[in-house]
Amino acid sequence: MLIVEGLRKTFGDREVLKGVHLTVKKGEVVVIIGPSGSGKTTLLRCLNVLEMADEGTVTIDGKQLQFANKPSKKEIINFRRLTGMVFQAYNLFPHMTALENVMEGPMIVKRINKHEAKERAEQLLTKVGLKDQMHMYPFQLSGGQQQRVGIARALAMEPKVLLFDEPTSALDPELVGEVLKVMKDLANEGMTMVVVTHEMRFAREVADEVIFFDEGMIIERGHPEQLFTHPKHERTQQFLRRIQ
Ligand code: ADP
């Protein structure tokens, strides 16, 4: 479903991605862990083409983007539609209700009519447990509820792959579980997901594969049980010792 080859990105004289290779099969959940500043967000942003990599290719569901070829704006927009991004800060439109936030993308980008967009948005908000909050504005919702709207909004665009960038980091501890539960349900339904998170329990329980990322590179990857219990690389061992 997702193939990343030789992805490189430099900011100024700092190489933030140093040739990343990654394959994610359909229905797989890959969790990326690693120290702050190691390039995890930049990697997700390149997959979603919010950031242009300098080199490398990303292939999603058979469609390829070659960064070195300087893709056109239209190619970028079309490619971006293949992924949905859930951000740390939910980035909802403050002047729109939960329902309107979820309807907006399909209506503007996919040109789906209002009736259909509304029906679909209602289904998605029900799915993330917000049936009774559909007509509320972001400021009336808790952080956990806002993030669930964020997930419904990403799903509304029917992406092939969902990308999560520390989706629970901004939440009060008691609200983390409700967001992880929605993510777990999606994983069980067969959604292909790449998740950057510090939630090690989620990684252990839900990930098909965990990747330890450091200094712009994949240092180690493996089944969660193997990576958490018997990390092979010294840097992985150090990182896991620090966070446990
Ligand atoms: P992580 O998600 O692992 O914390 P990031 O991808 O956010 O790491 O950042 C990796 C490095 O790239 C950091 O040193 C950060 O300061 C730098 N960086 C990220 N975005 C930009 C940008 N737009 N301009 C310059 N430097 C950036």
Side-chain angles (χ1 to χ4, degrees), residues 54-65:
D54 302 322
E55 275 178 46
T57 63
V58 179
T59 310
I60 297 172
D61 198 28
K63 296 170 191 72
Q64 189 174 72
L65 191 79

Side-chain angles (χ1 to χ4, degrees), residues 11 14 16 35-42:
F11 288 117
R14 182 143 188 229
V16 174
S36 181
S38 58
K40 305 182 299 299
T41 295
T42 305

Side-chain angles (χ1 to χ4, degrees), residues 15-175:
E15 200 177 22
V16 174
L17 299 179
K18 300 177 182 172
V20 177
H21 298 265
L22 174 66
T23 307
V24 184
K25 296 197 189 94
K26 191 166 190 279
E28 246 180 6
V29 178
V30 171
V31 169
I32 303 178
I33 60 170
S36 181
S38 58
K40 305 182 299 299
T41 295
T42 305
L43 171 61
L44 289 190
R45 288 174 62 84
C46 287
L47 300 184
N48 194 232
V49 217
L50 288 171
E51 202 74 72
M52 290 299 288
D54 302 322
E55 275 178 46
T57 63
V58 179
T59 310
I60 297 172
D61 198 28
K63 296 170 191 72
Q64 189 174 72
L65 191 79
Q66 294 197 2
F67 283 102
N69 283 357
K70 304 266 180 282
S72 68
K73 215 165 185 174
K74 187 158 175 254
E75 280 174 275
I76 292 171
I77 288 168
N78 283 337
F79 198 81
R80 182 171 298 146
R81 280 197 209 177
L82 299 170
T83 53
M85 184 88 143
V86 178
F87 300 91
Q88 180 178 346
Y90 337 108
N91 298 356
L92 300 178
F93 296 115
H95 60 290
M96 290 184 188
T97 63
L99 190 67
E100 289 164 349
N101 263 283
V102 180
M103 288 167 64
E104 182 75 1
M107 275 168 45
I108 303 290
V109 182
K110 292 190 138 190
R111 306 208 180 279
I112 285 170
N113 73 52
K114 194 169 177 179
H115 176 75
E116 221 175 294
K118 183 163 178 266
E119 213 161 89
R120 176 97 179 109
E122 283 171 352
Q123 281 170 6
L124 288 170
L125 285 164
T126 303
K127 184 186 170 83
V128 299
L130 295 173
K131 193 172 189 303
D132 298 333
Q133 288 82 14
M134 279 185 208
H135 301 292
M136 291 187 181
Y137 288 87
F139 78 91
Q140 297 171 304
L141 299 171
S142 72
Q145 290 171 332
Q146 288 185 57
Q147 188 57 298
R148 286 186 279 147
V149 177
I151 294 173
R153 183 182 52 178
L155 287 171
M157 297 298 288
E158 302 182 306
K160 299 289 178 187
V161 182
L162 261 192
L163 309 170
F164 293 83
D165 188 13
E166 299 195 22
T168 59
S169 299
L171 297 176
D172 290 335
E174 74 272 22
L175 303 178

